[in-house]
């Protein structure tokens, strides 16, 4: 792993490698998304209290059917379709837990056959057997894990599978391809904030490549984190001194998260990322982005009676994407903000001066 992980794996500059796509955007040409997130199922084998899919936590009148999943034949069609139009990468995530999707093995095999880069976000409980074998060649596997011990894990996730998950992670690391990056997502909350240092130690010993620390965002914003922040920041600082190496990195998205501001105002109007990235939900609908999944405002259209290709290139879809005003519609911190700022700055350049680099 690079010493500058945040400047490589998590870099906003990756888009610059796709010069043809940037040229298409500049010229107003509709082309295939580079990257798609697929939520194969909304069913989960855990019960995290903070989950955005739970009834009490669902924002923006999100309609979420916990039993929804993409039918087998439709999933085959989607993978065939995105391969045909030139999509380069796909991540399987929730919704629910992607590894409990009944056709996940078949789906991963097909993605591999089509030579599409693939990754997964999982709770790790089912990361074993054939599933783990198929994911050993993924570009990255990211496990959601917030606890350094079984008791805290059970109180947050509603299941007592901490030891199993740690075993699965360790075993997977021992058998994966060297090119597969294994990371952990840790959501920092009142329940686990005293365990951040210990968790970094556990993961470093397990052989994980990195941990990304982010704040719980659906619990009152900055006010919620005020009593926790100093302790968390001290633990992160100490963990970096004690555990970081060329093999293990700590990505601090907690200390200065502007998403906790009460009124987060975007400095751009056009969400250019919607030309590059999209989400397919377990309800077979396509959404503008992950944070807009399962909302009416984020709904691009259904794949029930049409292919992804037909929907992506439809005039109504293009119109909705290009008329969407992020400044009006998205008063929240988005993971794509920096990339949108970069692309909007690029689109606003005076062409009379572009050669004077």
């Amino acid at each position: 792993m690079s010493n500058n992980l945040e400047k490589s794996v998590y870099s906003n500059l990756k888009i610059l490698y796709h010069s043809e796509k940037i040229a298409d955007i500049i010229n107003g040409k509709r082309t295939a998304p580079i990257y798609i997130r697929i939520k194969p199922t909304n069913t989960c084998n855990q019960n995290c209290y903070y989950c955005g899919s739970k009834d009490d936590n669902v924002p923006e009148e999100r309609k979420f059917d916990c039993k929804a999943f993409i039918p087998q034949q439709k999933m085959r069609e989607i993978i065939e379709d995105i391969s045909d139009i030139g999509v380069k990468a796909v991540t399987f995530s929730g919704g629910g837990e992607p590894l409990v999707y009944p056709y996940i093995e078949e789906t991963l095999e097909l993605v591999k056959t089509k030579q599409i880069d693939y990754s997964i976000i999982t709770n790790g409980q089912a990361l074993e057997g054939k599933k783990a074998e198929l994911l050993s060649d993924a570009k990255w596997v990211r496990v959601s894990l917030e606890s350094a011990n079984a008791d805290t894990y059970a109180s947050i996730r509603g299941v007592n599978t901490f030891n199993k998950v740690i075993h699965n992670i360790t075993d997977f690391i021992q058998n994966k391809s060297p090119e597969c990056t294994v990371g952990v997502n840790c959501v920092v909350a009142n329940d686990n904030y005293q365990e951040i240092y210990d968790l970094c130690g556990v993961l470093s010993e397990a052989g994980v490549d990195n941990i990304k620390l982010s704040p719980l965002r659906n619990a009152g914003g900055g006010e919620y984190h005020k009593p926790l922040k100093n302790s968390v920041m001290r633990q992160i600082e100490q963990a970096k001194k004690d555990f970081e190496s060329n093999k293990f990195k700590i990505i601090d998205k907690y200390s200065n998260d502007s998403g906790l501001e009460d009124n987060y105002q975007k400095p751009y109007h056009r969400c250019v990322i919607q030309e590059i990235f999209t989400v397919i939900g377990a309800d077979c609908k396509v959404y503008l982005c992950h944070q807009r999944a399962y909302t009416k405002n984020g709904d691009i259209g259904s794949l029930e009676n049409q292919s992804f290709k037909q929907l992506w290139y439809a005039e109504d879809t293009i119109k909705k994407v290009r008329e969407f005003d992020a400044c009006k519609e998205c008063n929240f911190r988005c993971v794509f903000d920096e990339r949108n700022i970069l692309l909007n700055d690029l689109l606003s350049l005076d062409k009379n001066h572009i050669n004077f680099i």
Side-chain angles (χ1 to χ4, degrees):
M1 295 296 292
S2 167
N3 288 331
N4 296 312
L5 183 73
E6 202 162 356
K7 295 181 179 179
S8 57
V9 173
Y10 291 100
S11 175
N12 299 311
L13 300 179
K14 288 184 285 186
I15 182 61
L16 299 182
Y17 272 93
H18 302 277
S19 56
E20 291 184 2
K21 181 65 176 180
I22 293 174
D24 290 335
I25 292 170
I26 291 172
N27 294 321
K29 182 180 178 182
R30 182 68 162 176
T31 50
I34 296 171
Y35 174 36
I36 293 177
R37 180 176 285 196
I38 298 178
K39 301 173 180 293
T41 180
N42 286 343
T43 300
C44 190
N45 53 0
Q46 298 193 350
N47 188 30
C48 304
Y49 75 84
Y50 67 80
C51 179
S53 301
K54 293 174 74 72
D55 291 341
D56 293 341
N57 300 329
V58 174
E60 299 184 43
E61 300 180 355
R62 185 177 296 171
K63 293 183 178 179
F64 187 87
D65 178 3
C66 64
K67 296 181 180 180
F69 66 94
I70 300 175
Q72 182 180 25
Q73 188 55 44
K74 177 57 69 172
M75 180 63 86
R76 290 175 183 168
E77 176 194 292
I78 288 170
I79 302 304
E80 294 280 355
D81 216 21
I82 65 175
S83 171
D84 181 56
I85 65 176
V87 171
K88 298 182 182 299
V90 60
T91 293
F92 297 98
S93 72
E97 165 53 44
L99 289 182
V100 304
Y101 177 59
Y103 313 112
I104 191 63
E105 293 179 12
E106 174 188 323
T107 301
L108 292 172
E109 287 175 337
L110 184 55
V111 168
K112 289 183 69 172
T113 299
K114 296 298 182 180
Q115 298 184 315
I116 300 170
D117 289 349
Y118 64 103
S119 63
I120 196 165
I121 301 173
T122 172
N123 60 38
Q125 187 171 314
L127 184 62
E128 57 187 352
K130 182 67 172 180
K131 299 181 181 82
E133 181 183 335
L134 288 166
L135 287 166
S136 65
D137 292 322
K139 291 296 182 182
W140 52 266
V141 171
R142 199 173 299 159
V143 179
S144 299
L145 177 65
E146 306 88 3
S147 318
N149 63 74
D151 289 341
T152 305
Y153 186 93
S155 69
I156 292 175
R157 295 190 163 262
V159 291
N160 189 20
T161 56
F162 175 80
N163 292 330
K164 178 178 178 60
V165 170
I166 295 298
H167 170 78
N168 286 352
I169 292 172
T170 305
D171 189 64
F172 180 78
I173 289 170
Q174 291 173 350
N175 293 285
K176 73 177 182 65
S177 163
E179 286 73 37
C180 176
T181 299
V182 178
V184 163
N185 278 342
C186 173
V187 175
V188 180
N190 188 56
D191 309 71
N192 68 336
Y193 80 97
Q194 294 178 319
E195 299 178 18
I196 301 307
Y197 175 86
D198 292 339
L199 178 58
C200 290
V202 169
L203 297 177
S204 174
E205 185 176 349
V208 169
D209 292 305
N210 64 79
I211 178 175
K212 183 171 71 170
L213 298 156
S214 304
L216 179 64
R217 291 179 180 167
N218 59 352
E223 288 299 317
Y224 174 89
H225 286 276
K226 277 184 180 179
L228 324 179
K229 194 165 187 177
N230 288 338
S231 173
V232 175
M233 291 173 65
R234 284 196 298 268
Q235 290 180 73
I236 292 173
E237 182 180 3
Q238 191 62 49
K240 285 187 174 185
K241 291 178 181 177
D242 293 346
F243 303 125
E244 271 203 325
S245 66
N246 289 339
K247 295 181 179 179
F248 177 68
K249 295 297 176 184
I250 298 170
I251 310 300
D252 180 11
K253 296 292 185 181
Y254 179 88
S255 297
N256 297 296
D257 191 333
S258 56
L260 296 178
E261 296 174 7
D262 291 334
N263 293 293
Y264 184 80
Q265 184 65 51
K266 295 190 183 300
Y268 57 87
H269 289 275
R270 183 178 176 187
C271 181
V272 188
I273 287 296
Q274 292 178 15
E275 301 280 354
I276 297 168
F277 170 81
T278 197
V279 172
I280 301 175
D283 56 359
C284 292
K285 290 184 178 181
V286 179
Y287 294 95
L288 294 172
C289 66
H290 175 63
Q291 284 161 287
R292 292 289 182 191
Y294 304 119
T295 68
K296 183 178 180 180
N297 197 28
D299 185 352
I300 294 176
S302 175
L303 300 180
E304 186 176 354
N305 296 310
Q306 62 183 323
S307 69
F308 177 82
K309 181 177 181 179
Q310 288 171 324
L311 178 61
W312 184 257
Y313 290 104
E315 290 185 9
D316 288 347
T317 301
I318 299 171
K319 184 173 184 290
K320 179 165 187 174
V321 164
R322 295 182 179 172
E323 290 183 356
F324 185 88
D325 189 338
C327 210
K328 294 180 180 179
E329 303 290 346
C330 302
N331 186 24
F332 52 77
R333 180 72 166 89
C334 172
V335 295
F336 291 118
D337 275 338
E338 285 77 14
R339 273 156 278 189
N340 265 323
I341 292 169
L342 179 69
L343 289 166
N344 274 280
D345 286 349
L346 179 64
L347 292 173
S348 67
L349 291 176
D350 185 337
K351 293 184 179 179
N352 289 324
H353 294 266
I354 58 175
N355 293 330
F356 296 92
I357 297 173

